[in-house]
Amino acid sequence: MSQALRGTVTDFPGFDDRADAETLRKAMKGLGTDEESILTLLTSRSNAQRQEIAEAFKTLFGRDLLDDLKSELTGKFEKLIVALMKPSRLYDAYELKHALKGAGTKEKVLTEIIASRTPEELRAIKQVYEEEYGSSLEDDVVGDTSGYYQRMLVVLLQANRDPDAGIDEAQVEQDAQALFQAGELKWGTDEEKFITIFGTRSVSHLRRVKSIRSIPAYLAETLYYAMKGAGTDDHTLIRVVVSRSEIDLFNIRKEFRKNFATSLYSMIKGDTSGDYKKALLLLCGGEDD
């Protein structure tokens, strides 16, 4: 059985949007900003609750919470808090747009988001992307990628992956044979067979064919390499921690500990500093022995 997915951030019990809005206003009013209050509050509320706080903030004070946060905070801490405040689908759409924008497409970002989101999530991201940027995500992906990689992304963006229901063992065996025939037994590889199977079968089905790693294991590796070596890739660190905090960050933590002989918590602690570090550690949700 596959492990149940667990986030590290859940709905805050006894949530009061107006009280939270007042706490944030007080933290930013007058001389100096109370960063500790801001990070403690926002990392312990779910994304849906943060949106309610933003509405309450505007109702109570006639001010835009995100604008106020941006004007009071700086650097990587500001980027992290802004990411937390974006509705999740909008954040994914924003990251995809910036991966496609300008010189050189950031293929790792495209792969990470498009290959790890559920069909329902992908449909929502496509809709938000079009509303925000006035163009089709699929068209933009086609315009910025090529070859079999492009075709794989297009198949995934159709959001028609089989649901994770019961596994058809006969189909698993048939796909395993087809992949073997397409890959091992030919001089050239039958890429179209790979694309069809990888792009349309359910995740649990593909795990049985042993053709993909779990999403938490893949994202644990993404986080590890974002922090390993000289200089931290903070953009990747923020994106993965924020976007997976309510989905499977607990599972990512476990995979990280299993595969890299250190914990995600310890690595964040050693690679970041200040309020940025405090906020990331709260989102991480604890140490793994």
Side-chain angles (χ1 to χ4, degrees):
M1 287 289 291
S2 62
Q3 189 185 8
L5 296 182
R6 278 178 59 191
T8 53
V9 175
T10 55
D11 282 338
F12 185 76
F15 172 64
D16 183 336
D17 56 347
R18 291 195 165 207
D20 285 352
E22 284 169 3
T23 299
L24 291 171
R25 177 68 182 137
K26 187 179 170 189
M28 294 185 281
K29 200 175 176 183
L31 288 173
T33 303
D34 181 0
E35 286 91 352
E36 189 89 27
S37 292
I38 294 169
L39 71 89
T40 303
L41 192 152
L42 292 178
T43 57
S44 62
R45 305 303 189 264
S46 67
N47 190 276
Q49 289 175 333
R50 291 180 211 122
Q51 306 315 314
E52 289 184 48
I53 295 167
E55 282 183 32
F57 195 90
K58 192 163 274 187
T59 299
L60 293 173
F61 310 115
R63 301 175 68 91
D64 186 283
L65 175 56
L66 191 56
D67 286 348
D68 278 9
L69 288 165
K70 283 179 179 175
S71 71
E72 295 291 329
L73 309 175
T74 57
K76 291 178 278 197
F77 180 53
E78 178 198 346
K79 286 185 171 68
L80 175 61
I81 295 298
V82 167
L84 283 173
M85 288 305 302
K86 282 183 186 286
S88 55
R89 301 298 161 258
L90 182 60
Y91 184 47
D92 279 345
Y94 170 86
E95 287 293 303
L96 287 168
K97 180 66 176 176
H98 284 263
L100 291 162
K101 199 172 156 188
T105 301
K106 297 181 182 72
E107 292 187 350
K108 280 186 179 176
V109 178
L110 299 185
T111 303
E112 177 200 309
I113 295 175
I114 295 172
S116 69
R117 301 316 189 242
T118 65
E120 295 74 27
E121 287 166 344
L122 284 172
R123 283 191 281 273
I125 291 163
K126 287 197 296 184
Q127 184 181 337
V128 169
Y129 187 98
E130 190 148 354
E131 287 166 2
E132 285 295 307
Y133 304 113
S135 60
S136 147
L137 174 57
E138 186 179 320
D139 288 349
D140 286 358
V141 165
V142 168
D144 267 49
T145 58
S146 60
Y148 291 110
Y149 178 64
Q150 177 199 85
R151 287 162 68 177
M152 183 77 245
L153 292 179
V154 169
V155 168
L156 290 171
L157 284 170
Q158 302 318 299
N160 287 325
R161 189 184 288 288
D162 295 336
D164 260 333
I167 293 174
D168 181 343
E169 294 296 347
Q171 186 67 62
V172 169
E173 179 60 31
Q174 192 177 322
D175 284 350
Q177 287 296 328
L179 290 171
F180 179 69
Q181 295 281 344
E184 300 288 329
L185 298 181
K186 286 189 171 184
W187 287 110
T189 303
D190 183 357
E191 287 89 351
E192 288 198 348
K193 182 63 73 177
F194 281 93
I195 288 169
T196 301
I197 293 174
F198 291 160
T200 61
R201 303 294 190 260
S202 73
V203 170
S204 53
H205 176 99
L206 291 170
R207 295 280 288 155
R208 290 298 287 272
V209 189
K210 294 186 172 59
S211 57
I212 60 165
R213 284 175 296 165
S214 73
I215 288 168
Y218 168 70
L219 293 172
E221 184 179 282
T222 300
L223 285 171
Y224 178 75
Y225 286 107
M227 291 183 280
K228 185 178 180 283
T232 299
D233 178 356
D234 292 291
H235 196 102
T236 296
L237 180 56
I238 291 169
R239 183 180 62 252
V240 177
V241 169
V242 169
S243 67
R244 308 309 288 188
S245 59
E246 292 181 50
I247 300 168
D248 56 2
L249 189 54
F250 180 82
N251 307 74
I252 292 167
R253 257 174 50 190
K254 297 296 177 191
E255 290 289 344
F256 197 102
R257 186 71 189 87
K258 185 172 81 182
N259 294 325
F260 300 112
T262 185
S263 68
L264 177 58
Y265 190 94
S266 295
M267 205 156 178
I268 288 172
K269 202 170 179 180
D271 272 59
T272 58
S273 60
D275 293 317
Y276 176 54
K277 171 164 82 174
K278 287 180 195 170
L280 282 171
L281 291 177
L282 285 169
L283 290 169
C284 183
E287 179 64 285
D288 296 296
D289 298 327

